[in-house]
Amino acid sequence: MNTNLYQLINCCIIEDDEVIRNGYVSLLSADEDFFVSGDYASAEAALEQLDRIRPDVILLDIQLPGMRGVDALPAIRKILPGVHIIMLTVHESDDLVFTALKNGASGYLTKNTSFNKIKEHIRDVIRGGGAMSTEIALQVMKYFQKNQHSPLTKRETEILECVAEGKSRSKIAQELFIDQETVKSHIKNIYHKLDVNSRAEALSVARKSRFI
Amino acid sequence: MNTNLYQLINCCIIEDDEVIRNGYVSLLSADEDFFVSGDYASAEAALEQLDRIRPDVILLDIQLPGMRGVDALPAIRKILPGVHIIMLTVHESDDLVFTALKNGASGYLTKNTSFNKIKEHIRDVIRGGGAMSTEIALQVMKYFQKNQHSPLTKRETEILECVAEGKSRSKIAQELFIDQETVKSHIKNIYHKLDVNSRAEALSVARKSRFI
DNA sequence: ATCATTTACCCCCTTTAGGGGGATTTTACA
DNA sequence: TGTAAAATCCCCCTAAAGGGGGTAAATGAT
């Protein structure tokens, strides 16, 4: 019997694949630092029990039948505001990654992550850090990177960035020491290149393609 | 003499602190997987030699005298487009983190990262992954997280998100099954709450505060 | 040296958005 | 069940943005 029960990391696993779920349970249970307080095949089943088992860390599969993992996130947060939630996924290049991050996940790991690393990442989040497998980190970094193949010229990009800050034609003209009509001209050209017809739309398209 | 020279990871270190720089050099050189082809106290000094030493990975300090690390990034990329650049920093909560990510860093590590982990991260980027220490990962995740204390109501947030996608009043009205005037009303309220007076400005402010 | 691109500027006109006032009805919650 | 907040809709008017057309100087690459 472990005499340091208070130090154990209380884990909970939500994962629909029975084999994987049991794998995590037995491997975590085998480690003297971890204690598995619950394992569930669906978010719904877990949500009923969470206030009772009060885990420190939840391993949450992104692809669940019924309520999706990303949607379960806010629901779990409502019950246990302080819990660390680590998302598990097979698809690293999914929009769900960013949705999950927005919804407040503490970490994001691909399922091919070795179990030793998973344990390490759990300890990381307990210490207050963030957990991210290398595949996800790469995704995130790609997300930040500007697209090198922008159809916009330097000046156009410059002006679109002013637009992104909410500046009016006159303000942009003033800042760049050019005429308002010139600004208008540039914006028109930007619209043609991006095939849009409003500022917000141009920003939306340009952001999606990382031109700005 | 190592007979697997071709397998060695060719590293280069750009770091102004002599002690830290030499620490990295000796520790990396001591590992049979790594080969240190150069170490420099400034970006300028390194840039002169890069095309000759052709490293696989560059450890680049963010805070350098003269040319800053983040500014050196694009310059290095120009000389060696394929090189993996790992940024090193003491301040994890710096805007420079995001600037570096935008400029195409392959990784971002805080200097308190253990040397073993640094070596692991170098191997990660060589494999095509991304490297991020837990502190940086946390920063990045915070960056993504929506602000829970938004002054905007659900409906207002919903409408602002439509605005962010470049939709016009009429389109938003159509999508939400409400009148154009209602949309206008909501947008007016949003403007008052955010203290702005245009769509792009509202988006700019709302994004900065993570309301959307 | 030349051709394409970029940057800059001008006019007329239409559409959309924004500022100011309202009012009414849900909805949430104490 | 009463009240506040949120959501809905209406009007008048002005300011800003967008669509169409155009010209011309600077820049850059071949």
Side-chain angles (χ1 to χ4, degrees):
Chain A
M1 177 88 193
N2 193 309
T3 53
N4 292 322
L5 244 169
Y6 62 92
Q7 283 187 5
L8 291 179
I9 297 172
N10 183 341
C11 298
C12 165
I13 293 141
I14 309 174
E15 157 73 58
D16 62 310
D17 188 300
E18 196 185 354
V19 176
I20 297 179
R21 187 174 69 251
N22 281 290
Y24 283 142
V25 172
S26 69
L27 283 166
L28 276 176
S29 301
D31 191 300
E32 57 177 9
D33 290 349
F34 297 94
F35 164 66
V36 180
S37 57
D39 66 287
Y40 309 96
S42 76
E44 289 86 347
L47 284 168
E48 280 178 22
Q49 303 289 326
L50 278 183
D51 59 338
R52 192 177 55 76
I53 63 174
R54 303 196 158 277
D56 303 311
V57 177
I58 296 173
L59 299 182
L60 177 58
D61 185 19
I62 190 97
Q63 283 293 10
L64 289 172
M67 187 186 229
R68 296 182 313 166
V70 272
D71 299 322
L73 253 171
I76 294 172
R77 276 246 163 279
K78 212 165 184 178
I79 300 172
L80 300 172
V83 71
H84 296 286
I85 301 168
I86 297 177
M87 306 296 295
L88 298 171
T89 184
V90 274
H91 318 282
E92 68 258 28
S93 58
D94 207 308
D95 276 346
L96 288 177
V97 175
F98 297 103
T99 311
L101 290 174
K102 279 180 193 149
N103 287 358
S106 299
Y108 217 111
L109 304 177
T110 44
K111 286 191 180 170
N112 60 12
T113 308
S114 74
F115 188 71
N116 268 333
K117 291 232 172 161
I118 289 179
K119 287 197 288 189
E120 223 175 278
H121 282 306
I122 293 176
R123 292 194 184 94
D124 283 340
V125 299
I126 290 287
R127 282 189 216 106
M132 228 184 256
S133 57
T134 59
E135 293 91 346
I136 304 296
L138 190 68
Q139 275 308 113
V140 169
M141 292 195 283
K142 272 187 191 159
Y143 174 88
F144 279 103
Q145 271 175 48
K146 276 198 190 179
N147 192 328
Q148 254 63 48
H149 311 94
S150 171
L152 306 180
T153 69
K154 258 189 196 173
R155 196 55 152 182
E156 285 164 353
T157 307
E158 198 178 2
I159 283 172
L160 193 54
E161 270 159 1
C162 285
V163 168
E165 287 169 37
K167 290 166 186 158
S168 67
R169 276 184 205 167
S170 56
K171 191 157 193 182
I172 297 171
Q174 211 175 301
E175 261 178 44
L176 303 182
F177 305 107
I178 53 176
D179 196 279
Q180 293 192 32
E181 281 297 326
T182 308
V183 176
K184 189 182 161 185
S185 235
H186 283 300
I187 292 179
K188 268 197 285 190
N189 290 333
I190 293 169
Y191 288 1
H192 287 141
K193 286 184 181 179
L194 302 186
D195 191 28
V196 297
N197 44 26
S198 79
R199 292 174 163 229
E201 217 180 332
L203 292 174
S204 169
V205 171
R207 277 223 179 73
K208 276 200 188 103
S209 305
R210 303 279 139 211
F211 298 151
I212 54 164
Chain B
M1 179 88 191
N2 193 310
T3 53
N4 292 322
L5 244 170
Y6 61 93
Q7 282 187 6
L8 289 179
I9 297 171
N10 184 340
C11 298
C12 166
I13 293 141
I14 309 174
E15 156 74 60
D16 63 311
D17 187 302
E18 197 185 352
V19 176
I20 297 178
R21 186 174 69 252
N22 281 290
Y24 283 140
V25 172
S26 69
L27 283 166
L28 276 176
S29 301
D31 191 303
E32 59 177 8
D33 290 350
F34 298 94
F35 164 65
V36 179
S37 57
D39 66 286
Y40 309 95
S42 76
E44 289 87 346
L47 284 169
E48 280 179 22
Q49 302 291 325
L50 278 183
D51 60 337
R52 193 178 53 77
I53 64 175
R54 303 195 160 277
D56 304 310
V57 177
I58 297 173
L59 298 182
L60 178 58
D61 186 19
I62 190 98
Q63 283 293 10
L64 289 172
M67 187 184 227
R68 295 184 312 167
V70 272
D71 299 323
L73 253 171
I76 294 173
R77 275 246 162 279
K78 212 165 184 179
I79 302 173
L80 299 172
V83 71
H84 295 285
I85 302 168
I86 297 178
M87 307 296 295
L88 298 171
T89 183
V90 274
H91 319 282
E92 68 258 28
S93 57
D94 208 307
D95 275 346
L96 288 177
V97 175
F98 297 103
T99 311
L101 290 173
K102 280 180 194 149
N103 287 356
S106 300
Y108 218 112
L109 304 177
T110 44
K111 286 192 179 169
N112 61 13
T113 308
S114 74
F115 187 71
N116 268 333
K117 291 231 170 161
I118 289 179
K119 286 197 289 190
E120 223 175 278
H121 282 306
I122 293 175
R123 291 194 185 94
D124 283 340
V125 300
I126 290 288
R127 280 190 219 108
M132 228 183 257
S133 58
T134 59
E135 293 90 346
I136 303 297
L138 190 68
Q139 276 308 112
V140 169
M141 292 197 282
K142 272 187 191 161
Y143 173 89
F144 279 103
Q145 268 175 50
K146 276 198 189 176
N147 192 327
Q148 253 62 50
H149 313 93
S150 170
L152 305 180
T153 68
K154 257 190 195 172
R155 196 56 152 178
E156 284 164 356
T157 306
E158 198 177 2
I159 284 172
L160 193 54
E161 270 159 2
C162 286
V163 169
E165 285 169 38
K167 291 167 186 157
S168 67
R169 276 185 204 165
S170 55
K171 191 156 193 183
I172 297 171
Q174 211 175 302
E175 260 179 44
L176 303 182
F177 305 107
I178 53 177
D179 196 279
Q180 294 194 30
E181 280 299 324
T182 308
V183 177
K184 190 181 161 186
S185 231
H186 282 302
I187 293 179
K188 270 197 284 190
N189 290 333
I190 293 169
Y191 288 0
H192 287 140
K193 286 183 180 178
L194 302 185
D195 190 28
V196 298
N197 45 25
S198 80
R199 289 172 166 231
E201 218 179 330
L203 292 173
S204 170
V205 170
R207 278 223 179 73
K208 276 199 189 106
S209 305
R210 303 276 141 214
F211 297 152
I212 54 165

